Amino acid sequence: SLDHIQPKSRGGRSIWKNLQFTCLECNAIKGNLTNVEFKLLRARMVLDKVLNSLLRIRGKCMGAIKI
């Protein structure tokens, strides 16, 4: 889909320098964020997913250890 790099709601214009192609999912997640804000959000989402996985693994290992 066609996306505004600087969102229209935040003063972005519909000129070719401010447009990019994105998949529908990323465009929906990006909403009215700038590209920098979107990249930070995606990095946070990935980090949260990794940390949650590690905590689940750690919890399973700790549960198996009997002291």
Side-chain angles (χ1 to χ4, degrees):
S1 65
L2 200 55
D3 177 55
H4 290 82
I5 296 167
Q6 178 70 25
K8 287 175 63 174
S9 65
R10 294 172 68 179
R13 297 178 18 207
S14 293
I15 58 175
W16 71 270
K17 289 182 180 180
N18 191 42
L19 298 173
Q20 63 186 350
F21 288 103
T22 61
C23 70
L24 290 174
E25 180 183 355
C26 288
N27 196 0
I29 293 170
K30 182 177 178 273
N32 73 335
L33 301 176
T34 65
N35 278 357
V36 172
E37 293 167 338
F38 175 67
K39 288 175 185 175
L40 289 171
L41 175 66
R42 292 290 291 187
R44 175 67 189 264
M45 291 168 68
V46 169
L47 181 59
D48 285 348
K49 195 174 203 178
V50 170
L51 289 176
N52 285 333
S53 294
L54 289 174
L55 289 173
R56 274 196 307 276
I57 291 169
R58 183 172 183 238
K60 289 179 182 176
C61 291
M62 295 302 286
I65 298 173
K66 295 181 182 179
I67 299 177

